């Protein structure tokens, strides 16, 4: 078992074009570290100065992590993580 | 260049007019990798604001799931400005996460004339592009 992560089009250059990748971790932060070890450069597109980049939204099992602890959100094997580009402005 | 059907163009303008004075937002989706805006999808503005827009987080997740399942992608992201010109604001540029998309700005500041412009926003650089509206072919 692992955690399945859906990757948005704009970040697939880091995953060899793959729509989904698998990783492991006990928080979103450690999962992203694991993903970065497999897909170099991915973390830099997601995390800035220890916080999730505002250009992306991340969901764990349909819950937006902005409301569940951001990078500290707990994850476990079998969870589904979705990364999406931010769509917002003024 | 952005090429749009008349019906899609009209639907974007109608949405912007309907939500005025709040900003309206949505996307036009199309088959992945083809740069063809075919399916108009209005979205809720979670901010319900005259100066800000943000896709509602749950609706946005549903949208992207559906696009993925249908092998579609976001070809156009549109939103309206209701008191200022149809040009990307600083927050638009800072939050432009869909780097591959056409950014359509509609201004409803004038009650009659609607400004409709399209831009590419890549790494903070804004480039305006020509918009062509295609009238549906009349079939015999």
């Amino acid at each position: 078992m692992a955690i399945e992560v859906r990757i948005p089009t704009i970040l697939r250059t880091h995953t060899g074009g793959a729509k989904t990748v698998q990783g492991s971790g006990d928080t979103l932060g450690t999962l992203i570290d694991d993903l970065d070890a497999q897909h170099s450069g991915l973390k830099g597109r997601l995390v800035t100065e220890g916080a999730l980049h505002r250009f992306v939204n991340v969901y764990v099992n349909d819950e937006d992590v902005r409301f569940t602890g951001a990078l500290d959100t707990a994850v476990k094997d079998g969870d589904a993580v979705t990364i999406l580009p931010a769509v917002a402005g003024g | 260049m952005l090429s749009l059907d008349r019906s899609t163009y009209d639907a974007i303008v109608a949405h912007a007019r309907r939500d005025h004075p709040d900003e309206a937002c949505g996307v036009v989706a199309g088959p992945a990798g083809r740069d063809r805006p075919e399916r108009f999808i209005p979205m809720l503005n979670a901010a319900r604001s005259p100066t800000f827009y943000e896709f509602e987080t749950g609706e946005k997740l549903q949208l992207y799931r559906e696009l993925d399942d249908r092998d579609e992608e976001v070809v156009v992201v549109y939103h309206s400005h209701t008191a200022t010109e149809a040009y990307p604001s600083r927050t638009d540029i800072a939050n432009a996460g869909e780097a591959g998309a056409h950014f359509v700005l509609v201004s409803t500041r004038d009650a009659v004339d609607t400004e409709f412009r399209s831009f590419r926003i890549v790494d903070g650089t804004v480039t305006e592009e020509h918009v062509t509206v295609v009238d549906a072919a009349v079939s015999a």
Side-chain angles (χ1 to χ4, degrees), chain B residues 6-88:
Chain B
R6 171 70 59 190
S7 61
T8 304
Y9 177 96
D10 288 346
I12 292 171
V13 171
H15 185 202
R17 287 287 170 197
R18 193 163 65 239
D19 283 11
H20 184 92
D22 285 346
E23 293 192 6
C25 57
V27 304
V28 187
R34 306 289 292 276
D35 196 29
R36 285 211 320 252
E38 294 183 348
R39 201 159 64 91
F40 168 73
I41 308 170
M43 299 287 287
L44 292 172
N45 177 2
R48 291 180 195 284
S49 162
T51 56
F52 195 76
Y53 82 98
E54 181 172 25
F55 287 1
E56 194 278 317
T57 181
E59 190 183 47
K60 179 175 151 182
L61 181 62
Q62 292 301 320
L63 167 71
Y64 277 88
R65 282 237 170 100
E66 185 184 294
L67 296 183
D68 229 17
D69 291 343
R70 296 168 59 125
D71 282 323
E72 290 180 326
E73 65 187 2
V74 170
V75 181
V76 171
V77 176
Y78 72 86
H79 78 283
S80 63
H81 284 172
T82 58
T84 57
E85 69 172 325
Y87 190 87

Side-chain angles (χ1 to χ4, degrees), chain B residues 116-131:
Chain B
F116 191 109
R117 297 167 72 180
S118 182
F119 305 86
R120 296 287 194 167
I121 305 176
V122 179
D123 295 332
T125 301
V126 177
T127 309
E128 183 159 12
E129 60 182 0
H130 187 69
V131 178

